[in-house]
Amino acid sequence: TKHQRHINTDSDSELLLNTFATGMAATDDNGDITEKIFKAIENVMAKCEGGYAGMYLINGIGLVGFRDPHGIRPIVFGSRRANQKDGAPSSNVPKTPAKMKKAGGSLDYVMASESVAIDTLGFELVRDIKPGEAIFIDFNGNCATRQCHVNASLSPCIFEYVYFARPDSIMDGVSVYESRLLMGEKLAQKITKKHPDHDIDVVIPIPDTSRTSALQAAYQLGRPFREGFIKNRYIARTFIMPGQETRKKSVRLKLNT
């Protein structure tokens, strides 16, 4: 009501977008649209707490991506030469904001939550967007970056490495696959230390994303790896479904022994 905006859903993403739009409307840019966008992002980070990463396409202006001040949610960006065809080997592209700024329309850009999407589209991964950072790319291919929060620090969500992310992604310079191997190794070491006379028969991955960790744990423990639950891949994620009864019903459809 205060900002005269109508919210259509209970999604926090819509609130984030409206906070950005309010900042854009309230900021006096003096003709500098880049400055206006960065100030709007500063407004978002000053008002919104928690984990988030955003990417907005502004009609007629360009693309902006940003990450919360603690880097809880992931977002990366990549680039390629503008005349490079899909599937062609990536040529050397500038990797620093200063060099990208000088590229002046000779680069295409892409942003995504995981590096695997950038690889699939034939772009070269540049880096993760830093905590509290925003990147703006106009329709002429000019790239600008700014740190929009003074107390930014990296505290990524470990659940990205445990469950959300694909194993072939790289997040904040860390291979998700390698991290899951180490998790399995650490788990096996903990079991061996606390229960040296354990009577484990087999190691079974539950849920499906724990397969990499389970393989490594089985190797370290010297026990066979087995598939105890078969996953129905046409069922959506169950832990985010509303209500315990809905989750239980979905799990019965999702897993079978």
Side-chain angles (χ1 to χ4, degrees):
T1 303
K2 179 180 177 181
H3 298 291
Q4 297 181 338
R5 291 192 172 274
H6 179 73
I7 304 300
N8 297 296
T9 70
D10 58 359
S11 170
D12 52 1
S13 297
E14 186 182 6
L15 293 175
L16 200 68
L17 175 60
N18 275 275
T19 304
F20 173 75
T22 299
M24 288 287 287
T27 304
D28 182 12
D29 62 343
N30 294 320
D32 187 346
I33 189 61
T34 302
E35 186 67 21
K36 186 183 185 78
I37 289 170
F38 284 146
K39 285 185 177 179
I41 296 295
E42 290 174 2
N43 177 63
V44 170
M45 294 187 181
K47 293 182 177 180
C48 299
E49 298 180 359
Y52 53 84
M55 182 180 67
Y56 302 148
L57 179 63
I58 307 173
N59 188 28
I61 296 175
L63 186 69
V64 59
F66 58 95
R67 190 178 185 187
D68 68 82
H70 298 292
I72 298 172
R73 297 267 76 85
I75 181 170
V76 296
F77 75 103
S79 65
R80 69 179 181 186
R81 294 294 176 184
N83 58 358
Q84 183 177 318
K85 296 181 179 179
D86 291 340
S90 58
S91 55
N92 292 329
V93 297
K95 289 294 185 77
T96 64
K99 290 182 178 179
M100 287 189 292
K101 189 175 181 179
K102 293 177 181 178
S106 65
L107 298 175
D108 291 333
Y109 295 93
V110 63
M111 298 183 193
S113 60
E114 295 187 40
S115 64
V116 64
I118 292 175
D119 299 335
T120 302
L121 292 171
F123 285 72
E124 186 174 339
L125 177 66
V126 174
R127 61 175 173 83
D128 297 78
I129 293 179
K130 299 174 184 177
E133 183 185 28
I135 295 181
F136 170 61
I137 302 157
D138 66 21
F139 283 153
N140 293 320
N142 299 307
C143 179
T145 69
R146 180 178 296 182
Q147 189 66 34
C148 295
H149 196 280
V150 292
N151 296 319
S153 62
L154 181 62
S155 302
C157 175
I158 194 172
F159 210 43
E160 296 285 349
Y161 295 95
V162 173
Y163 183 75
F164 282 133
R166 271 181 45 161
D168 48 343
S169 283
I170 298 173
M171 303 171 67
D172 293 305
V174 177
S175 164
V176 175
Y177 179 79
E178 292 291 339
S179 70
R180 289 178 184 171
L181 281 178
L182 288 173
M183 289 177 200
E185 188 172 320
K186 290 291 185 181
L187 177 61
Q189 291 173 356
K190 185 175 182 179
I191 292 171
T192 303
K193 182 178 180 180
K194 288 193 171 185
H195 306 284
D197 298 324
H198 68 78
D199 58 350
I200 294 174
D201 296 314
V202 296
V203 178
I204 298 173
I206 306 171
D208 193 56
T209 47
S210 66
R211 179 170 279 102
T212 305
S213 299
L215 278 167
Q216 187 68 359
Y219 175 77
Q220 293 289 329
L221 292 169
R223 292 295 187 269
F225 172 89
R226 293 290 184 268
E227 295 284 355
F229 285 81
I230 304 302
K231 176 183 175 182
N232 180 350
R233 298 184 182 276
Y234 298 98
I235 300 296
R237 281 176 171 161
T238 53
F239 81 96
I240 57 176
M241 290 181 174
Q244 181 63 13
E245 286 303 316
T246 303
R247 288 193 289 269
K248 288 173 65 176
K249 181 180 179 181
S250 297
V251 167
R252 284 196 296 269
L253 295 172
K254 186 175 185 177
L255 297 176
N256 191 33
T257 57

